[in-house]
Amino acid sequence: MFVDHGESSRVTERPQWLACMDYLRFGDTLMVRRLDWIAGSETMAIQTINELHDRGLNIKSLTEPDIDTTTMGRALFGIVAVFAPLRVDTIRDNTRRGLAHARAEGRVGGRPSVMTPERIKQALRMRADKHSIVHIAKVLGVGKSSASRALDKAAEDAAHDDSQLTA
């Protein structure tokens, strides 16, 4: 079994994929969980199908029963491969829309910030005293980017509040 953890199927130089290709011999059948896991783009899918065919290898999908090049599935495999990018794009689009909807409702994903309101106040006082971001982060026990982001957001919020007062 060959598994590339965390590698995108759009990357051609996946270590386990390369090891699998080296392992396979003429007449072998490559079993895949899903077709789009071996090829993340139409071009890659067609190239992979042709490469495997030229090497005398077959492909069988565990979740797509009609994808089995040991039978008449090679043509269907090619057709499904063409739609793999559409599936990826659809998932990506749905994710973006879902995140935008959640943000519109005031929900924010991800981990909570290490910069608590108390730390932000302390950071603002230190920054007013001309301390560097590196010093502020070290004193607060947070990363430099966390301190910087919190100070930038506090400045942005203050500017927004000021603009509301003048409007």
Side-chain angles (χ1 to χ4, degrees):
M1 184 178 296
F2 298 90
V3 179
D4 278 307
H5 295 283
E7 297 287 334
S8 168
S9 60
R10 292 180 179 266
V11 177
T12 56
E13 300 297 317
R14 296 169 288 165
Q16 289 295 301
W17 174 253
L18 295 175
C20 178
M21 291 298 97
D22 187 51
Y23 178 82
L24 291 170
R25 300 292 177 250
F26 185 88
D28 286 350
T29 298
L30 173 63
M31 303 286 289
V32 296
R33 177 163 166 72
R34 279 199 340 237
L35 175 64
D36 61 342
W37 287 17
I38 65 168
S41 72
E42 177 183 339
T43 305
M44 283 179 65
I46 293 168
Q47 182 180 0
T48 301
I49 292 166
N50 288 333
E51 178 186 333
L52 294 173
H53 181 331
D54 291 348
R55 290 183 53 194
L57 301 170
N58 297 302
I59 303 169
K60 184 168 177 62
S61 171
L62 298 173
T63 57
E64 299 147 325
D66 294 332
I67 308 299
D68 179 357
T69 61
T70 61
T71 62
M72 293 293 291
R74 184 165 186 261
L76 182 60
F77 182 87
I79 292 167
V80 172
V82 169
F83 289 103
L86 176 62
R87 181 180 168 278
V88 170
D89 290 342
T90 301
I91 290 169
R92 188 176 296 129
D93 186 49
N94 288 343
T95 301
R96 279 192 203 118
R97 281 190 283 130
L99 290 171
H101 179 71
R103 277 191 296 274
E105 292 185 344
R107 292 179 294 164
V108 180
R111 289 189 312 207
S113 175
V114 295
M115 292 298 289
T116 62
E118 296 80 25
R119 281 182 171 159
I120 294 170
K121 287 178 189 172
Q122 196 175 358
L124 287 167
R125 281 193 300 272
M126 286 190 275
R127 195 63 172 156
D129 290 340
K130 307 289 188 218
H131 289 287
S132 71
I133 299 288
V134 173
H135 175 76
I136 294 168
K138 187 174 181 180
V139 169
L140 296 177
V142 299
K144 182 182 129 187
S145 57
S146 293
S148 179
R149 258 192 316 273
L151 287 168
D152 288 346
K153 183 169 181 346
E156 183 181 302
D157 291 348
H160 179 71
D161 290 346
D162 289 346
S163 71
Q164 293 295 321
L165 292 175
T166 59

